[in-house]
Amino acid sequence: METPPWRDRLRAEDALLEQLEAQAEAARKRRAQALKDGVDELGSVYAVAKRLGLSWTAIAKAIKKYTTA
C-alpha cells in the first residue's frame, strides 16, 4: 500500500489537531462549570480547592475564564 503524499498527510493531521483543540476547549468549559457547581455546593472557592488539593487561584481563574456567568 502506498503512503499518501506529504501534503495530504499534513492536511489530515491539521484537521485532527483542530478537532482535538475544539474538544479540549469544550472539556475546559465543562470542567469550569463543574468547579463552579462545587463552589455553589461547598460555599467557596477555597473549600473546593481544599477538597481537591488544588490552589484556590487556579480554580478561581478556571471558573472566571471558562464560564460566562
Side-chain angles (χ1 to χ4, degrees):
M1 189 157 117
E2 192 173 317
T3 303
W6 68 270
R7 286 183 180 104
D8 293 342
R9 295 191 324 256
L10 184 61
R11 270 191 229 97
E13 295 304 326
D14 284 345
L16 179 58
L17 285 171
E18 190 174 312
Q19 290 172 5
L20 291 171
E21 288 171 10
Q23 289 177 8
E25 181 69 12
R28 285 188 285 271
K29 288 178 181 180
R30 290 190 305 270
R31 180 181 183 274
Q33 185 59 53
L35 289 170
K36 188 175 179 184
D37 293 346
V39 170
D40 292 344
E41 180 181 314
L42 298 178
S44 71
V45 170
Y46 177 77
V48 173
K50 188 173 181 182
R51 178 78 56 98
L52 296 175
L54 299 171
S55 75
W56 71 268
T57 54
I59 291 172
K61 285 179 182 179
I63 291 170
K64 183 177 180 181
K65 185 172 183 178
Y66 294 106
T67 60
T68 55

